[in-house]
Short mmCIF file of all heavy atoms in Angstrom, two decimals:
data_model
loop_
_atom_site.label_atom_id
_atom_site.label_comp_id
_atom_site.label_asym_id
_atom_site.label_seq_id
_atom_site.Cartn_x
_atom_site.Cartn_y
_atom_site.Cartn_z
N GLU A 180 -13.66 -12.34 2.17
CA GLU A 180 -13.21 -12.47 3.55
C GLU A 180 -11.95 -11.66 3.84
O GLU A 180 -11.45 -11.65 4.98
CB GLU A 180 -12.96 -13.93 3.90
CG GLU A 180 -11.85 -14.60 3.10
CD GLU A 180 -12.30 -15.16 1.76
OE1 GLU A 180 -13.42 -14.82 1.30
OE2 GLU A 180 -11.55 -15.96 1.19
N ALA A 181 -11.43 -10.93 2.82
CA ALA A 181 -10.22 -10.12 2.99
C ALA A 181 -10.49 -8.63 2.76
O ALA A 181 -9.56 -7.86 2.56
CB ALA A 181 -9.14 -10.61 2.02
N VAL A 182 -11.76 -8.25 2.79
CA VAL A 182 -12.14 -6.84 2.58
C VAL A 182 -12.59 -6.25 3.91
O VAL A 182 -13.40 -6.83 4.63
CB VAL A 182 -13.26 -6.72 1.53
CG1 VAL A 182 -13.72 -5.27 1.40
CG2 VAL A 182 -12.78 -7.25 0.18
N LEU A 183 -12.06 -5.07 4.24
CA LEU A 183 -12.44 -4.36 5.45
C LEU A 183 -12.93 -2.96 5.09
O LEU A 183 -12.55 -2.42 4.04
CB LEU A 183 -11.25 -4.22 6.40
CG LEU A 183 -10.54 -5.50 6.83
CD1 LEU A 183 -9.29 -5.71 5.99
CD2 LEU A 183 -10.15 -5.43 8.30
N ILE A 184 -13.74 -2.38 5.97
CA ILE A 184 -14.18 -1.00 5.77
C ILE A 184 -13.69 -0.14 6.94
O ILE A 184 -13.58 -0.61 8.07
CB ILE A 184 -15.71 -0.87 5.60
CG1 ILE A 184 -16.46 -1.42 6.82
CG2 ILE A 184 -16.14 -1.59 4.32
CD1 ILE A 184 -17.98 -1.19 6.73
N ASP A 185 -13.38 1.13 6.65
CA ASP A 185 -12.76 2.04 7.61
C ASP A 185 -13.46 3.39 7.53
O ASP A 185 -13.56 3.96 6.45
CB ASP A 185 -11.27 2.17 7.25
CG ASP A 185 -10.50 3.14 8.13
OD1 ASP A 185 -11.10 3.83 8.97
OD2 ASP A 185 -9.27 3.23 7.95
N PRO A 186 -13.95 3.92 8.67
CA PRO A 186 -14.64 5.22 8.62
C PRO A 186 -13.72 6.39 8.29
O PRO A 186 -14.19 7.48 7.96
CB PRO A 186 -15.22 5.37 10.03
CG PRO A 186 -14.35 4.52 10.90
CD PRO A 186 -13.95 3.35 10.04
N GLY A 187 -12.41 6.20 8.39
CA GLY A 187 -11.48 7.25 7.98
C GLY A 187 -11.46 8.44 8.92
O GLY A 187 -11.61 9.59 8.48
N HIS A 188 -11.25 8.20 10.19
CA HIS A 188 -11.17 9.31 11.14
C HIS A 188 -10.17 10.37 10.66
O HIS A 188 -9.06 10.04 10.24
CB HIS A 188 -10.72 8.79 12.51
CG HIS A 188 -11.77 8.00 13.22
ND1 HIS A 188 -12.02 6.67 12.92
CD2 HIS A 188 -12.64 8.35 14.20
CE1 HIS A 188 -12.99 6.23 13.72
NE2 HIS A 188 -13.38 7.23 14.50
N ASP A 189 -10.57 11.63 10.72
CA ASP A 189 -9.79 12.80 10.32
C ASP A 189 -9.68 12.99 8.81
O ASP A 189 -9.39 14.09 8.35
CB ASP A 189 -8.36 12.76 10.91
CG ASP A 189 -8.29 13.33 12.32
OD1 ASP A 189 -9.33 13.73 12.87
OD2 ASP A 189 -7.17 13.36 12.89
N PHE A 190 -9.88 11.95 8.03
CA PHE A 190 -9.73 12.07 6.58
C PHE A 190 -11.01 12.67 5.99
O PHE A 190 -12.05 12.02 5.99
CB PHE A 190 -9.44 10.71 5.94
CG PHE A 190 -8.00 10.27 6.07
CD1 PHE A 190 -7.42 10.13 7.31
CD2 PHE A 190 -7.23 10.01 4.94
CE1 PHE A 190 -6.10 9.73 7.45
CE2 PHE A 190 -5.91 9.60 5.06
CZ PHE A 190 -5.34 9.47 6.32
N GLY A 191 -10.91 13.89 5.49
CA GLY A 191 -12.09 14.56 4.94
C GLY A 191 -13.12 14.88 6.00
O GLY A 191 -14.31 14.99 5.69
N LYS A 192 -12.69 15.05 7.24
CA LYS A 192 -13.61 15.25 8.36
C LYS A 192 -13.04 16.24 9.35
O LYS A 192 -11.82 16.30 9.54
CB LYS A 192 -13.87 13.92 9.09
CG LYS A 192 -14.47 12.83 8.23
CD LYS A 192 -14.46 11.50 8.96
CE LYS A 192 -14.90 10.39 8.01
NZ LYS A 192 -13.91 10.17 6.93
N ASN A 193 -13.94 16.96 10.04
CA ASN A 193 -13.50 17.74 11.18
C ASN A 193 -13.65 16.88 12.44
O ASN A 193 -14.08 15.72 12.38
CB ASN A 193 -14.25 19.07 11.28
CG ASN A 193 -15.76 18.90 11.46
OD1 ASN A 193 -16.23 17.94 12.07
ND2 ASN A 193 -16.53 19.84 10.92
N THR A 194 -13.30 17.45 13.58
CA THR A 194 -13.33 16.67 14.82
C THR A 194 -14.72 16.18 15.17
O THR A 194 -14.91 15.03 15.60
CB THR A 194 -12.74 17.51 15.96
OG1 THR A 194 -11.33 17.65 15.74
CG2 THR A 194 -12.97 16.87 17.32
N ARG A 195 -15.74 17.00 14.98
CA ARG A 195 -17.10 16.57 15.31
C ARG A 195 -17.55 15.42 14.42
O ARG A 195 -18.25 14.52 14.86
CB ARG A 195 -18.06 17.75 15.22
CG ARG A 195 -17.90 18.75 16.35
CD ARG A 195 -18.92 19.88 16.27
NE ARG A 195 -18.84 20.76 17.42
CZ ARG A 195 -17.99 21.78 17.54
NH1 ARG A 195 -17.14 22.04 16.54
NH2 ARG A 195 -17.99 22.53 18.62
N HIS A 196 -17.12 15.43 13.15
CA HIS A 196 -17.44 14.32 12.25
C HIS A 196 -16.82 13.02 12.77
O HIS A 196 -17.46 11.96 12.78
CB HIS A 196 -16.92 14.59 10.84
CG HIS A 196 -17.61 15.71 10.14
ND1 HIS A 196 -16.93 16.58 9.31
CD2 HIS A 196 -18.91 16.12 10.15
CE1 HIS A 196 -17.79 17.45 8.82
NE2 HIS A 196 -18.98 17.20 9.32
N SER A 197 -15.54 13.09 13.19
CA SER A 197 -14.86 11.89 13.66
C SER A 197 -15.46 11.38 14.96
O SER A 197 -15.56 10.16 15.18
CB SER A 197 -13.37 12.17 13.84
OG SER A 197 -12.75 12.40 12.57
N LEU A 198 -15.88 12.28 15.83
CA LEU A 198 -16.53 11.85 17.07
C LEU A 198 -17.86 11.16 16.77
O LEU A 198 -18.19 10.13 17.37
CB LEU A 198 -16.74 13.05 17.99
CG LEU A 198 -15.47 13.66 18.59
CD1 LEU A 198 -15.80 14.96 19.31
CD2 LEU A 198 -14.79 12.68 19.55
N GLU A 199 -18.63 11.73 15.84
CA GLU A 199 -19.91 11.11 15.50
C GLU A 199 -19.70 9.76 14.83
O GLU A 199 -20.45 8.80 15.09
CB GLU A 199 -20.75 12.02 14.61
CG GLU A 199 -22.11 11.44 14.29
CD GLU A 199 -23.03 12.38 13.55
OE1 GLU A 199 -22.71 13.58 13.42
OE2 GLU A 199 -24.08 11.90 13.07
N ALA A 200 -18.69 9.68 13.98
CA ALA A 200 -18.39 8.39 13.33
C ALA A 200 -18.06 7.33 14.37
O ALA A 200 -18.48 6.17 14.25
CB ALA A 200 -17.23 8.55 12.36
N THR A 201 -17.35 7.72 15.41
CA THR A 201 -17.04 6.78 16.49
C THR A 201 -18.30 6.38 17.24
O THR A 201 -18.55 5.21 17.52
CB THR A 201 -16.03 7.41 17.47
OG1 THR A 201 -14.88 7.86 16.75
CG2 THR A 201 -15.60 6.40 18.52
N ARG A 202 -19.10 7.37 17.58
CA ARG A 202 -20.33 7.13 18.35
C ARG A 202 -21.28 6.19 17.61
O ARG A 202 -21.99 5.40 18.23
CB ARG A 202 -21.00 8.48 18.61
CG ARG A 202 -22.20 8.47 19.50
CD ARG A 202 -22.50 9.88 20.01
NE ARG A 202 -22.76 10.86 18.97
CZ ARG A 202 -21.96 11.89 18.66
NH1 ARG A 202 -20.82 12.08 19.32
NH2 ARG A 202 -22.29 12.74 17.72
N ARG A 203 -21.29 6.25 16.29
CA ARG A 203 -22.21 5.48 15.47
C ARG A 203 -21.53 4.29 14.77
O ARG A 203 -22.05 3.76 13.80
CB ARG A 203 -22.88 6.39 14.44
CG ARG A 203 -23.70 7.51 15.07
CD ARG A 203 -24.23 8.49 14.04
NE ARG A 203 -25.12 7.86 13.09
CZ ARG A 203 -25.65 8.49 12.02
NH1 ARG A 203 -25.34 9.77 11.78
NH2 ARG A 203 -26.44 7.84 11.19
N LEU A 204 -20.39 3.89 15.29
CA LEU A 204 -19.61 2.82 14.65
C LEU A 204 -20.41 1.52 14.53
O LEU A 204 -20.19 0.73 13.61
CB LEU A 204 -18.34 2.58 15.46
CG LEU A 204 -17.13 2.00 14.73
CD1 LEU A 204 -16.70 2.91 13.60
CD2 LEU A 204 -15.99 1.82 15.73
N GLY A 205 -21.34 1.31 15.44
CA GLY A 205 -22.16 0.10 15.37
C GLY A 205 -22.91 -0.03 14.07
O GLY A 205 -23.22 -1.15 13.63
N GLU A 206 -23.22 1.09 13.42
CA GLU A 206 -23.92 1.04 12.13
C GLU A 206 -23.02 0.45 11.06
O GLU A 206 -23.50 -0.24 10.14
CB GLU A 206 -24.40 2.44 11.73
CG GLU A 206 -25.45 3.00 12.68
CD GLU A 206 -25.84 4.43 12.36
OE1 GLU A 206 -26.08 4.74 11.17
OE2 GLU A 206 -25.90 5.26 13.29
N MET A 207 -21.71 0.69 11.14
CA MET A 207 -20.78 0.07 10.20
C MET A 207 -20.66 -1.42 10.49
O MET A 207 -20.66 -2.24 9.57
CB MET A 207 -19.41 0.74 10.29
CG MET A 207 -19.36 2.18 9.84
SD MET A 207 -17.66 2.80 9.71
CE MET A 207 -17.12 2.00 8.19
#
Side-chain angles (χ1 to χ4, degrees):
E180 63 275 14
V182 176
L183 304 99
I184 59 175
D185 177 353
H188 288 80
D189 275 1
F190 281 58
K192 300 170 188 67
N193 61 32
T194 290
R195 288 183 175 84
H196 293 143
S197 292
L198 291 171
E199 183 173 350
T201 306
R202 186 163 60 248
R203 298 174 62 185
L204 206 59
E206 295 175 46
M207 294 189 74

